[in-house]
Amino acid sequence: MLAQAAEFEQRLASGEVLRLCDGRILATVFYEPSTRTRLSFESAMHRLGGGRVISVAEAKTSSSAAKGETIEDSARMLAGYADVIVQRHPAVGSARALADAADVPVINAGDGTGEHPTQALLDLYTIERERGALDGLTVAMVGDLKNGRTVHSLARALAHWQVTLDFVSPPELSMPPALVAELRSRGTVVRETSNMDEALQRADVAYITRIQQERFITPDEYLKYKGVYVITADVVRRAKPGVSVLHPLPRVDEIATDVDNLPNAAYFRQARNGVYVRMALLAMVLGAI
Ligand code: NCD
């Protein structure tokens, strides 16, 4: 899939206009906020050429879910309207539930604190592009590792390669223990710490995440952790030379803007890569290539 994404990136860069999805329809159904994920899926479908997109942007309030419709009923209906469905929903396991009830492909665009597998694919693509290879890397994941779904999916995805993972978080926001155990049982070296500077001494990739405000029960709980890790240009200078800084975005305060113009800052390139990777995924599940 990464190779297919690279091929699409080259074809678009050469000015080619694709025509791979004539008559196909993508439905995007988002019950949680999104900018990048929804727009890059929609852009990907348009860039594949010939396909169309139908969308409920504010599914929580503007779809029949607000009237109490179940995911299963939505699935049966959406499968009649579209050839592939991309869903984001606050409940862990909601993509699985939709996929089990729909007879068209379903892509998980984030299920609460669970997983965000297409983000993991674009993260892999970005790391490979920035570093040249995935094997042999030390990757530090920093921030809210308990509630952040991108790090859950990325850690699982990276375990397919020879990598060392450093998980940096306050102890209360650490990576779920079952996931750490799963990674170790697959042979991945995992270290856990709350000391970011120490981890950045050895990291080839620093994957920074936001404290997931919407998952905290009270504003005070969130404020306890807000700002706990902040990457500045000074922090990057003290880190392992050449470290690549990634972030799934949106950022709040965890990467200072003085990092943006350093060559280390890969997060805007990372966001752009979402289109190529989602083109590859859509083309594959639609049988268009
Ligand atoms: C992430 C998400 O929604 O999980 N955003 C994204 O899809 N790029 C990360 C986040 O919201 O912190």
Side-chain angles (χ1 to χ4, degrees):
M1 196 173 305
L2 302 186
Q4 183 60 54
E7 186 195 308
F8 281 139
E9 179 173 1
Q10 276 165 15
R11 290 170 72 178
L12 290 183
S14 75
E16 189 180 340
V17 178
L18 306 180
R19 190 93 205 178
L20 294 171
C21 286
D22 268 330
R24 315 308 287 278
I25 298 178
L26 161 70
T28 55
V29 186
F30 279 63
Y31 298 87
E32 280 190 344
S34 168
T35 309
R36 269 155 295 273
T37 305
R38 189 166 67 86
L39 284 183
S40 63
F41 263 114
E42 296 185 359
S43 172
M45 189 66 180
H46 290 301
R47 290 217 190 277
L48 283 170
R52 295 187 186 269
V53 177
I54 56 176
S55 180
V56 197
E58 297 277 343
K60 198 172 181 173
T61 46
S62 69
S63 79
S64 288
K67 303 176 189 164
E69 185 168 58
T70 63
I71 288 195
E72 286 73 17
D73 283 2
S74 300
R76 288 188 194 100
M77 182 222 28
L78 287 167
Y81 296 166
D83 303 298
V84 54
I85 304 166
V86 176
Q87 177 182 257
R88 170 171 291 183
H89 189 284
V92 174
S94 48
R96 176 82 265 158
L98 186 68
D100 287 343
D103 55 9
V104 300
V106 169
I107 298 173
N108 182 5
D111 61 331
T113 59
E115 298 274 352
H116 195 344
T118 67
Q119 179 71 42
L121 289 171
L122 79 91
D123 294 341
L124 290 180
Y125 185 77
T126 304
I127 295 171
E128 196 174 49
R129 292 299 293 267
E130 299 286 322
R131 310 298 311 191
L134 290 158
D135 278 320
L137 296 177
T138 296
V139 179
M141 300 188 188
V142 180
D144 185 352
L145 307 184
K146 177 178 180 226
N147 298 306
R149 54 195 171 201
T150 66
V151 286
H152 301 162
S153 294
L154 180 58
R156 278 209 174 93
L158 282 170
H160 290 281
W161 283 269
Q162 295 295 318
V163 295
T164 299
L165 300 179
D166 275 312
F167 294 149
V168 183
S169 71
E172 300 80 9
L173 301 180
S174 64
M175 198 58 105
L179 179 48
V180 173
E182 178 193 320
L183 296 166
R184 287 194 170 128
S185 76
R186 292 170 63 183
T188 303
V189 179
V190 174
R191 297 178 292 219
E192 296 187 271
T193 176
S194 56
N195 187 332
M196 179 175 74
D197 270 313
E198 181 200 56
L200 294 190
Q201 291 304 310
R202 47 192 190 212
D204 302 301
V205 175
Y207 190 93
I208 314 300
T209 66
R210 146 184 100 78
I211 305 294
Q212 304 278 303
Q213 176 172 13
E214 67 276 30
R215 312 293 177 203
F216 288 81
I217 296 175
T218 64
D220 281 354
E221 249 325 273
Y222 166 65
L223 290 174
K224 268 205 262 178
Y225 302 106
K226 180 180 159 24
V228 61
Y229 299 114
V230 178
I231 308 279
T232 60
D234 267 346
V235 172
V236 173
R237 273 188 277 275
R238 291 199 301 273
K240 183 170 174 182
V243 61
S244 301
V245 181
L246 275 71
H247 190 304
L249 303 176
R251 73 171 147 188
V252 182
D253 52 8
E254 57 281 351
I255 302 182
T257 50
D258 65 1
V259 179
D260 295 358
N261 292 324
L262 300 179
N264 314 70
Y267 30 93
F268 295 120
R269 294 191 286 276
Q270 183 184 358
R272 167 139 22 111
N273 290 338
V275 174
Y276 315 128
V277 170
R278 290 175 172 127
M279 284 174 78
L281 179 60
L282 287 172
M284 284 173 157
V285 300
L286 289 169
I289 44 168

